[in-house]
Structures are given as structure tokens and as C-alpha cells.
Amino acid sequence: MLPTSNVELNKLRSLIEDKIQHDYVDEIIQKPAIDETKLVLLYTIMKQSNLPQSTKERYILSTIFVQLALDIHEIVPIKNDRNESSISQKKRQLMVLAGDYYSGLFYSLLSETEDFEVIHILATAIKEINEYKMRFYYNEITSVDEAIDLLMKIESLLISRILKEVQVLPELALIEHIISLIILLREKHLLISNDSSSVFTNLVTLGGSRQDLPTKLESIIEEKIKSIEKYINDIPIQYAELKNDLKKIVGDIIENNTSIAKEG
Amino acid sequence: MKLAKTYNYLKKDLDYIEKAVDKVIQADHPVLREASTHLLMAGGKRIRPVFVLLGGQFGNYDIERMSIVATSIELIHMASLVHDDVIDDAEIRRGGPTIKKQYDNKVAMYTGDYLLARSLEIITTLKEKQAHQTLAKTIVEVCIGEIEQIKDKHVWDQSMRTYLRRIRRKTALLIATSCKLGAIAAGVKEKDANRLFKYGYYIGMSYQIIDDILDFTSSEKELGKPAGNDLLQGNVTLPVLYAMKYPAFNSLVKNTFTGSKSVNEEQMRLLIKLLKQTDAIERSYQVSDMYLRKALHVLDKLPDHRSKQSLIGIATYIGRRRS
């Protein structure tokens, strides 16, 4: 079972919720969902560090604030509807501002404790993520592998950079593989359910065959799971607890996806 | 007198900062680079970098350190402009198309986030805790101010306090922070750095009030947007608050903006005409002047320096601003 019911994790969740709370924003727009997998991954790995509890907590909160900022900006509509209703207009406006507000919270939290290095690390990650997002948005991809790699960077850069700073996990590529797996499973689900899928819609546009994609995806997923298992097995014995937790997290990701697929 | 004349001895340093900003926004992705550069090239008063440099003149002025602060603050300002254009659905800025118009909201969001990230990357080369705490608090407050502005739209019976708190967050804090951060980076003693913050705050308040007045008194050509545009958007500014005390204006505003019907040019012309017949403009200028006097008073306590003369000059210029 994932440590989602853990007391410390719940505390983190309520700290985040508390900090991002704003009466008017919450009234008009739906509060963005915290990326549970990223939160659990951060918590699970950060737990192994010898840093003071308050520092670990601060790093997790800051990273999640940045993630929330990026996530909510991602859902701002690409174009404004000419006949936009007053409420849709307010929603768009508040999505922009809420994202900026969350970015301010991350800087504010880390400034209080003079964590300038971590501010710098996260800022660099945001910069790079936006560069990658532009490449993705402009369809600058030529293959499935490249698309997955680009999405993996967009999704994993924040947590892999902060964890690199904390220096607990011996192999950061593992985080990237886990994030890739989530992306792949999500895309597979979208593809099977005939929903629009960002990566694969792009690839089909580029001339790939949609029919071959589920098979291709399945084989990439299998390879990915094998790589992740190998990475986890290679984690040194002194990280036994971490090994177990990561196995549970990955098992849960796969199981969750299987049940979604069955329901679908 | 032109505003730039009051600090013409800073021209070389301002050019240096302009180049520094340009260098920092050279993103890898061509569209990101082009969008950011386009925004920079569109110009602007660069008033925030000016305040950084003037604040720094009271201490150990080092252009490299000044440049870090000035570049960072200008980038924050640029990021907020790009995102503001998405918020306001604005198509023109400084005579050219906005990023959201030229590309779309997505590119504007990425560009704004990129610029903010670049700003934070740069400012963290400074290690003064107080500088970061001040700047971080300001970023958060500016966002809250903008959220409040949306919330307070079309709220005709809001208090003056609500208006002042909103413009404090929206405009005054970043100017105050520019003055203070320049001072901190130059090692100015805390008392004087705080005085510079107050000066910037009062100047920012006055500047915004005059901006709000000009929305009614300037022509469309001078403003680059229709006169009364703030009111049309439902923003309750100081002249409106004063004019609302007059029953004729009060009922006309409420009738005009009731329901979902769009407001036409003729209705706006009538509202502006009626507002000008009240003492709202005059009273708003009085509040602006009060802030300017406060700004000048704070300067009395600062050591004599040519930058002090520039700060006085800026205050005088703002007080006389009529377009």
C-alpha cells in the first residue's frame, strides 16, 4: 500500500492546502489538484535524508507550489473566446494569477530561511521546463521516444533537481523512469479510450500510424517497468526501506492504471 | 522638463542594465527568445531600474550588484505585463501587438513563467536575506492585489481604504521594493533603506492615482486606449469613488452597468462628462499631492546626495504629470 494515509503526508497536504487557500480564488476556480505521485515520491525519498524535518518539509512544499503554479498555467485556455462569459473570463484571469501567486509562495517560503541555492535550483528547473514546453507545443518531435523523453523532462525536472540537491537517492534516473511510466500509462489509457492524447495526437499529425501505436506503447511500457525494477533492485542495501517504498509506489501506479483500464 | 533629465548621469548605467536584460532573455527556443526580446524592444520607462540605481547611490554603488537587482526587478515587471495581457485580453502594448495577440495565451504563459524564473535565477546571486524577503513578499502582494482588483470590479460602494490597499499592492510596492533593494545591495544602513522604501511607496501611490485620473482627463491618443477605459472595465478608481458621492453620477453608473448589456461610447462619454463636473478629479489630485508631500518629507531625512535631488525631481515630475 502507498503511504498515502501516512500522518506526515497528511500534514504536508494540509500545509499545502492551507498556504494556497484564498477565499475568492477558491470560490471561482477549482483548486488545482496536488500531484499525488510527485508528492509521495518526494516524501518517500526525502524521508531518507539527514536534513532537519523542517527543511525537508520546506523543500517538499516549495517544489509542490512550483508544480501547482506550472500546472494551473497549463490549463489557461489557448485562445480567448470572443463571446466569453463573465464567469469564464474570471476563471481565466484567476488561473493566471493563482499560478503567479503559487510561484510567489515558493520564493517567499525559501527566502525566510535563506535557501537561496534551492530557489536558484528550482528557478533553473522552471526555466528549462518552459523551454521544453515550447518545443513540445511547437511539435518539435520526430518520434515516440523523443516525445516521451520531452514529456518526462517537463514532468520530472522539478523533483529530480530538488532530490539531486538533497543527495539521497543514488540514481536519479529512477525518478525519471517512474515519471515516464506514469506518462506512458496515461497516454496508453487515452489512446485506448479514443480520447485525445497530447503526445500521440502530435505523432499521428506527424505521419505516424495510429493503429501501430498501442502495440508500440505496450512494448515501451514493458521495457520501462523492467528498467525501473532493475534500478530499484540496484539500490544499495542500506536503503532497504526506500527500496520497499518505491516498489510499493510503482506497484500502485501499475495497479491503479490497470483498474482504470478495466473501468474504462 | 523630461523625466530622464532628472537622472541623466545614470544613462550609461541604464544602458548597461538594458544590455544585461537583453542578454538574460536570450532563450534557447526561438519563439521564447523572440517574444521576450520583442517585449523588451517595445521600450518602457524603465522606472524600476532607475529607482534601484538611485537607491544604490546612497551606499557603495557597484554597477554589477546594481545590475543584478535592476535586471531582476525589470524581468519581474516584464513577466507581470505578459501575464496581465492574458488577464486583460489586451491586443496592443506600447504600440505593438502583445505576446498573447502575436502568438497565443499559451506562449504568453510560458514566456511570463520563463521571465520570472530568469529573474529568480539572477537575484539569488545576492545573499542578503532582507532583499529576498522584501522581494518575495512584494511578488505575493502584487498577485493578491490583482486578485482583489478582479474581485472588486463593479463593486461601486467600496471604501477608499479598499482602493488604497489595492493600488499599494498593484503598483506602489514594486517601486518601493526597487528603491530598497538598490539600497540593500549597496550596503546602505537599514534605517535609510527603509526610508527609501517609504519614498518609493508614496511615489508609487501618487503615480497610480494620477494614472487613474488621466484615464478620465487624457485623450484616447494620449492614453493609447479609450478614455474612461478603467471604468468601462468595472475598475473603481479614486475619481470614481469621489464622484459616486454625487447622486446623479451614482445612479447613472449603477444604471449603466446593471445587467449584462454592453456599455456604448455615448454612455461612456456621458459618464466622463458628469464625473468631470464634480470635484472628483480635484480631490483625487489632492490625495496624490498628499502622497508626494510624504515622499518629499521622507527624503528630508536622507543624506544629501545628487541622487536625492533626482528623487526630488522625480516626485516633482510625477506631481506635474498631465499625460
Side-chain angles (χ1 to χ4, degrees):
Chain A
M1 194 180 86
L2 267 176
T4 45
S5 56
N6 183 300
V7 176
E8 286 172 26
L9 257 174
N10 284 339
K11 185 189 162 198
L12 285 170
R13 280 189 200 100
S14 58
L15 277 173
I16 295 165
E17 299 270 343
D18 190 47
K19 284 269 188 187
I20 63 168
Q21 194 273 338
H22 186 287
D23 285 348
Y24 183 65
V25 175
D26 298 345
E27 184 191 318
I28 306 292
I29 59 171
Q30 201 178 358
K31 216 181 251 178
I34 299 167
D35 190 322
E36 276 296 318
T37 315
K38 285 179 189 163
L39 177 65
V40 172
L41 272 174
L42 274 170
Y43 166 78
T44 307
I45 298 168
M46 201 79 89
K47 202 168 61 170
Q48 305 296 320
S49 144
N50 294 323
L51 289 169
Q53 186 60 27
S54 59
T55 308
K56 288 191 244 183
E57 207 170 273
R58 206 164 49 248
Y59 289 179
I60 294 173
L61 255 62
S62 313
T63 313
I64 296 294
F65 288 151
V66 177
Q67 190 64 60
L68 285 169
L70 296 175
D71 289 349
I72 198 161
H73 280 174
E74 200 56 44
I75 55 170
V76 171
I78 294 176
K79 294 266 181 207
N80 302 339
D81 187 352
R82 281 289 138 225
N83 303 311
E84 193 179 34
S85 67
S86 165
I87 190 70
S88 303
Q89 184 190 47
K90 276 185 187 168
K91 279 184 180 171
R92 167 174 53 78
Q93 294 171 327
L94 292 175
M95 277 176 202
V96 177
L97 290 170
D100 291 344
Y101 178 60
Y102 305 150
S103 294
L105 287 181
F106 119 75
Y107 180 35
S108 179
L109 185 64
L110 293 172
S111 308
E112 279 167 26
T113 44
E114 299 178 63
D115 278 313
F116 307 134
E117 189 55 35
V118 180
I119 297 169
H120 191 272
I121 287 165
L122 289 175
T124 305
I126 301 168
K127 174 188 74 178
E128 290 174 24
I129 287 169
N130 281 289
E131 292 267 15
Y132 292 134
K133 281 184 171 182
M134 288 294 286
R135 281 180 55 194
F136 195 80
Y137 187 54
Y138 279 91
N139 271 355
E140 291 163 12
I141 37 176
T142 51
S143 66
V144 176
D145 293 337
E146 209 182 319
I148 299 293
D149 185 58
L150 204 49
L151 273 184
M152 181 269 290
K153 281 174 179 154
I154 290 168
E155 296 282 341
S156 70
L157 213 57
L158 277 178
I159 55 174
S160 59
R161 289 286 162 81
I162 193 93
L163 291 174
K164 189 178 175 191
E165 172 66 11
V166 175
Q167 293 180 335
V168 234
L169 193 69
E171 191 51 81
L172 276 170
L174 173 59
I175 297 299
E176 296 174 352
H177 281 296
I178 296 175
I179 300 284
S180 303
L181 177 65
I182 297 168
I183 296 165
L184 286 162
L185 291 168
R186 183 185 67 202
E187 295 296 336
K188 184 186 126 189
H189 173 65
L190 289 169
L191 200 65
I192 290 170
S193 61
N194 258 336
D195 207 334
S196 65
S197 149
S198 54
V199 179
F200 299 107
T201 308
N202 280 346
L203 287 168
V204 170
T205 316
L206 287 168
S209 161
R210 197 182 172 105
Q211 273 181 331
D212 301 340
L213 280 171
T215 325
K216 167 117 178 124
L217 254 184
E218 199 54 59
S219 80
I220 301 175
I221 289 169
E222 274 173 30
E223 283 302 311
K224 195 58 75 182
I225 292 171
K226 276 183 202 160
S227 301
I228 291 170
E229 281 169 354
K230 185 177 177 332
Y231 271 112
I232 295 178
N233 286 333
D234 288 350
I235 292 175
I237 193 73
Q238 66 263 37
Y239 295 110
E241 189 194 1
L242 175 68
K243 257 178 137 157
N244 275 337
D245 286 348
L246 287 172
K247 271 183 192 170
K248 283 174 196 163
I249 291 172
V250 174
D252 202 68
I253 291 168
I254 298 167
E255 193 183 319
N256 257 346
N257 188 267
T258 314
S259 47
I260 291 171
K262 274 180 190 164
E263 282 164 23
Chain B
M1 187 176 73
K2 278 192 169 178
L3 178 65
K5 273 203 168 180
T6 58
Y7 47 80
N8 58 3
Y9 57 94
L10 293 174
K11 190 176 181 315
K12 207 176 92 193
D13 291 353
L14 285 166
D15 288 344
Y16 184 85
I17 288 158
E18 192 80 2
K19 283 185 187 127
V21 176
D22 184 45
K23 198 175 163 191
V24 166
I25 57 172
Q26 296 306 310
D28 290 340
H29 196 278
V31 177
L32 203 50
R33 190 168 60 235
E34 195 182 284
S36 310
T37 311
H38 173 80
L39 184 66
L40 181 71
M41 294 306 161
K45 297 185 196 82
R46 310 281 186 254
I47 196 72
R48 290 154 196 85
V50 168
F51 282 125
V52 170
L53 299 186
L54 290 173
Q57 291 266 326
F58 288 91
N60 300 317
Y61 186 93
D62 168 11
I63 184 60
E64 288 304 324
R65 283 174 67 80
M66 291 301 112
S67 174
I68 290 167
V69 177
T71 302
S72 180
I73 290 185
E74 190 60 16
L75 288 172
I76 289 171
H77 176 60
M78 283 168 69
S80 77
L81 294 182
V82 184
H83 283 178
D84 280 354
D85 289 336
V86 176
I87 292 169
D88 299 336
D89 199 12
E91 301 198 336
I92 294 175
R93 178 171 289 281
R94 291 167 187 160
T98 56
I99 294 178
K100 73 128 242 158
K101 168 73 179 168
Q102 193 169 352
Y103 304 95
D104 55 32
N105 287 351
K106 188 70 95 184
V107 173
M109 293 316 298
Y110 292 163
T111 307
D113 287 346
Y114 171 85
L115 292 172
L116 179 65
R118 291 298 280 139
S119 164
L120 296 184
E121 270 190 300
I122 291 161
I123 198 75
T124 40
T125 54
L126 286 188
K127 304 300 174 201
E128 283 82 356
K129 181 183 178 180
Q130 217 197 352
H132 291 285
Q133 285 184 329
T134 306
L135 184 59
K137 196 175 169 202
T138 296
I139 293 174
V140 171
E141 289 284 317
V142 168
C143 292
I144 295 175
E146 291 212 44
I147 292 169
E148 297 289 320
Q149 179 162 309
I150 293 167
K151 183 184 161 197
D152 295 338
K153 269 187 183 183
H154 299 106
V155 179
W156 306 113
D157 53 357
Q158 62 187 263
S159 68
M160 165 106 89
R161 195 163 164 258
T162 305
Y163 165 79
L164 293 175
R165 191 179 53 199
R166 196 167 60 236
I167 65 165
R168 169 183 172 268
R169 285 168 162 159
K170 189 180 139 185
T171 308
L173 276 178
L174 195 55
I175 292 177
T177 300
S178 304
C179 294
K180 184 174 179 176
L181 259 59
I184 292 174
V188 172
K189 57 184 181 189
E190 198 179 339
K191 226 174 194 175
D192 285 342
N194 287 336
R195 283 179 180 134
L196 283 160
F197 181 87
K198 275 190 179 170
Y199 165 85
Y201 165 68
Y202 293 137
I203 283 289
M205 294 296 281
S206 170
Y207 188 88
Q208 187 57 54
I209 290 169
I210 292 180
D211 239 23
D212 292 344
I213 294 171
L214 293 176
D215 187 55
F216 292 103
T217 58
S218 292
S219 63
E220 181 166 352
K221 196 180 167 194
E222 285 166 328
L223 289 167
K225 57 184 177 180
N229 190 54
D230 287 340
L231 179 59
L232 182 64
Q233 301 298 323
N235 290 324
V236 183
T237 57
L238 194 56
V240 177
L241 278 180
Y242 280 131
M244 287 300 281
K245 295 184 193 307
Y246 291 83
F249 183 82
N250 191 309
S251 57
L252 186 62
V253 164
K254 287 178 180 168
N255 285 336
T256 308
F257 289 93
T258 301
S260 56
K261 59 183 188 291
S262 58
V263 178
N264 63 38
E265 277 181 39
E266 187 50 41
Q267 286 173 301
M268 280 311 297
R269 260 198 295 273
L270 189 61
L271 277 169
I272 295 169
K273 190 180 164 194
L274 208 53
L275 183 139
K276 283 180 176 172
Q277 284 170 4
T278 72
D279 60 357
I281 300 291
E282 192 190 326
R283 291 183 74 182
S284 300
Y285 269 122
Q286 284 168 6
V287 179
S288 163
D289 288 344
M290 183 264 294
Y291 279 113
L292 284 178
R293 280 196 301 277
K294 283 181 177 231
L296 292 170
H297 182 66
V298 171
L299 288 181
D300 283 346
K301 292 165 192 154
L302 280 168
D304 280 330
H305 194 282
R306 66 176 171 176
S307 64
K308 185 169 161 176
Q309 291 312 310
S310 303
L311 293 172
I312 294 170
I314 291 173
T316 312
Y317 173 85
I318 287 174
R320 288 184 193 144
R321 196 161 70 105
R322 291 295 181 267
S323 65

